[in-house]
Amino acid sequence: QTALGEPVLPGTDETDMKRRAALQMLAALSAGAAIPPGALETVLSGVTPDSIDQMDVDRWERTVHEYRHVCLMRWTGALIPDLTADIVAVGKLLERKNPPSVHTRLLRVSAELSGRLAAELDDIGDRRAARVAWASARRAADASGDRDLSVWVRGYEADQARWSGCPDHVVTGLADEAIALSGGKPSRGLGRAYAARASVAARQGDKHAAFDALENLAEVTDRVLEELPEYHLRWNEAYAYTFLGDGRASSSLDRALALYPPGTMTPVANLRLIQALDLVQQREIDEGLEQALTVLQEGPISTTRYHLAERILGALPEQARKLPAARDLRALTVRA
């Protein structure tokens, strides 16, 4: 009964569901956590019309473009809750009977959101979950009929796989699949595929293959600069030159660092680790180790950062491996 003595009527299943979702939201907010995926949509269901129009899809496409910028400004893994919630929301919209044009555009949105989630999962080291997300991104992209998007998903997966411990042949296989699917048409996905090829070749010490891939990446970048900014090219040049011990590494690193927008986090931090590796290779041991430690203490140690830190430790001369800074670096990069 209520305070006035009136009986409390049982709620409908929908009412109970909304109530539970509202309680989940309040509990998350009070704890400073992210709102659980789907909770807000459940609370708001019935407030908005069931149909979705072109303007709604426009908003989702703007959200995708926002993620392209925001991902530069956040540490690896920080966007996983937001991406998950948005993928759930778009998935519910895809379940409706939408006009074909709306359905196709929503598939494109879902593919890109899933690809970005997969990349985040790969870089926090959850390869199994990343594989599931990559597969979802591929299915959505292919179902949309947008070949450039299908190339992007595969190229982006190759780009991320180079850090996640995948064998080199798996990385190059993904890159080759993207390149073949592209038919040679320049796109951001094709650029990602060439970047993956360049990195693997550089790690293997194959200068010819690395420089060939970088040349292809430069050509793609020139053609689609708006979608594939120059800083992506320079980042990959810096990586390849450093791993190959090429004399252009230092100038390439400086050029890449200067191109990123103010506030960029993960890519710039990783560039500074590459710079630390270059210093160690030039036998500026103390400076290189100090820079590596500083960078690794600034944010989470992702798979990319593990990869670069391990390379720095491997480049140390025998007598330098017992230095306190080297021991501290090794302790920071011990994987759980």
Side-chain angles (χ1 to χ4, degrees), residues 12-22 24 39 42-43 45:
T12 63
D13 289 343
E14 184 179 356
T15 302
D16 289 341
M17 189 166 56
K18 288 185 177 183
R19 186 182 297 115
R20 286 194 297 272
Q24 283 183 313
T42 300
V43 171
S45 62

Side-chain angles (χ1 to χ4, degrees), residues 32 41 46 58 72 75 93 100 110 145 183 186 206 304 330:
E41 288 78 5
D58 288 344
L72 294 175
W75 289 115
L93 295 178
S110 179
D206 188 339
T304 310
R330 192 171 295 108

Side-chain angles (χ1 to χ4, degrees), residues 284-326:
E284 300 288 342
I285 305 297
D286 291 338
E287 187 179 352
L289 286 173
E290 182 180 350
Q291 178 157 318
L293 284 170
T294 299
V295 174
L296 289 174
Q297 289 166 349
E298 289 175 352
I301 304 181
S302 63
T303 55
T304 310
R305 288 150 76 86
Y306 273 121
H307 164 75
L308 294 170
E310 288 168 355
R311 184 70 181 215
I312 291 167
L313 288 167
L316 290 172
E318 186 65 34
Q319 65 272 20
R321 296 183 181 184
K322 297 180 181 179
L323 291 171

Side-chain angles (χ1 to χ4, degrees), residues 93-99:
L93 295 178
L94 281 166
E95 292 173 357
R96 300 181 182 180
K97 293 187 179 299
N98 299 306

Side-chain angles (χ1 to χ4, degrees), residues 165-177:
C166 289
D168 287 348
H169 74 271
V170 172
V171 179
T172 54
L174 288 166
D176 290 348
E177 185 180 349

Side-chain angles (χ1 to χ4, degrees), residues 1 22 29 45 51 57 67 82 95 101 109 132 135 151 172 178 191 215 238 279-280 289 313 331:
Q1 291 187 336
L29 290 169
S45 62
S51 60
V57 187
Y67 273 120
D82 290 354
E95 292 173 357
S101 62
V109 168
V132 173
V151 172
T172 54
E215 183 178 342
L279 288 168
V280 167
L289 286 173
L313 288 167

Side-chain angles (χ1 to χ4, degrees), residues 55-125:
M55 290 182 64
D56 293 319
V57 187
D58 288 344
R59 283 191 286 272
W60 276 112
E61 289 174 344
R62 285 196 296 272
T63 297
V64 166
H65 284 282
E66 287 172 15
Y67 273 120
R68 293 179 191 179
H69 174 73
V70 172
C71 69
L72 294 175
M73 308 298 168
R74 303 283 290 277
W75 289 115
T76 293
L79 293 174
I80 289 175
D82 290 354
L83 285 163
T84 302
D86 283 342
I87 289 167
V88 170
V90 173
K92 289 184 176 179
L93 295 178
L94 281 166
E95 292 173 357
R96 300 181 182 180
K97 293 187 179 299
N98 299 306
S101 62
V102 168
H103 189 76
T104 296
R105 291 173 68 191
L106 286 173
L107 282 171
R108 290 200 292 262
V109 168
S110 179
E112 180 139 359
L113 292 176
S114 298
R116 295 205 174 275
L117 175 62
E120 293 273 308
L121 291 167
D122 249 338
D123 216 12
I124 65 168

